Amino acid sequence: MSAVGRVATRVRELPTPQGPGRAHVCRPARSRGTVVLGHGAGGGMSSLDLTVARDVLVGDRWTVVLVEQPWLVAGRRVAGRPATLDAAWVPMVSALMSGRGRLPAPLVVGGRSAGARVACRTAAELGADAGLLLSFPLHLPGQADRPDRRRDAELALAPSPTWMVQGTRDPFGTPEELAPYVPEWAVMLEVEGAHSFPKGARPALVEALTRIAGMLPG
């Protein structure tokens, strides 16, 4: 991060209808815009794809915010229902992008797994300028043949443009399974790995996220 000069970091507690959430903000000087990312249903704020995305994008002068949903802040082990996740996410992102001390536009929304779903469902309401989806869960493991359980309708709500990073062996949806449902305004990059990337995937993730950083509208 030294290449971009000073990076201001802070943690903001933000009110939501489900209780307080947290925003972990990394803001470099002369920021190009803001990327807000949500975590998965298992928590995992330190998952490899989220941390690599943060480091690469901050290095490219993007303000990056990792958002903790209220259920995780409260110490619960199980995520809430999709509607409650959306209802917490929208006011948190809105607060970050408005008022005194608001973060810079353009706004890129995204996250990993369940966080990616939340970002898609709420992108229009937030007026997002772009999307970044990590390990999008098209279906539950072993349920690829269940159209009634597929999340392709959520993926169709992704903002334009959107970039995706998907593991080649992801049991929640391989790149081949996702391909028919990727919107025409989205670009999917494949990285060797499953739903949670192993440590050895770091170089490939860095390469993928560096390519994406060069294409973001900022």
Side-chain angles (χ1 to χ4, degrees):
M1 294 185 187
S2 59
V4 298
R6 186 177 66 86
V7 177
T9 61
R10 64 177 298 196
V11 178
R12 289 182 59 181
E13 187 169 286
L14 300 170
T16 85
Q18 281 71 47
R22 289 197 195 108
H24 301 257
V25 183
C26 294
R27 183 173 184 172
R30 301 182 302 279
S31 178
R32 297 171 54 191
T34 300
V35 182
V36 184
L37 301 173
H39 54 78
M45 290 289 291
S46 61
S47 64
L48 184 62
D49 46 3
L50 282 178
T51 55
V52 168
R54 179 198 61 201
D55 294 346
V56 168
L57 292 168
V58 169
D60 203 44
R61 291 194 299 107
W62 283 87
T63 294
V64 178
V65 184
L66 301 185
V67 168
E68 271 186 275
Q69 283 273 355
W71 67 267
L72 189 60
V73 173
R76 296 194 293 272
R77 295 186 178 183
V78 180
R81 296 176 62 84
T84 66
L85 301 179
D86 296 356
W89 171 264
V90 168
M92 285 194 284
V93 178
S94 297
L96 291 167
M97 302 301 295
S98 63
R100 185 176 181 180
R102 64 182 177 272
L103 299 180
L107 169 64
V108 181
V109 295
R112 71 162 272 108
S113 195
R117 295 177 62 195
V118 173
C120 287
R121 292 192 300 260
T122 60
E125 183 176 356
L126 290 167
D129 298 290
L132 175 57
L133 312 181
L134 309 172
S135 300
F136 186 87
L138 180 65
H139 55 73
L140 292 174
Q143 295 191 13
D145 59 347
R146 291 281 305 276
D148 59 313
R149 304 299 297 274
R150 206 162 46 214
R151 286 81 175 255
D152 53 303
E154 294 179 352
L155 183 56
L157 299 175
S160 176
T162 282
W163 287 267
M164 304 173 63
V165 177
Q166 199 74 13
T168 55
R169 295 175 284 102
D170 192 331
F172 288 81
T174 64
E176 291 77 16
E177 291 171 335
L178 274 160
Y181 308 106
V182 173
E184 61 182 13
W185 57 86
V187 175
M188 179 170 56
L189 303 182
E190 301 180 19
V191 171
E192 180 64 31
H195 195 62
S196 295
F197 291 100
K199 291 182 179 179
R202 178 179 290 275
L205 284 170
V206 169
E207 179 181 359
L209 269 302
T210 299
R211 286 179 59 189
I212 291 170
M215 295 184 282
L216 290 177

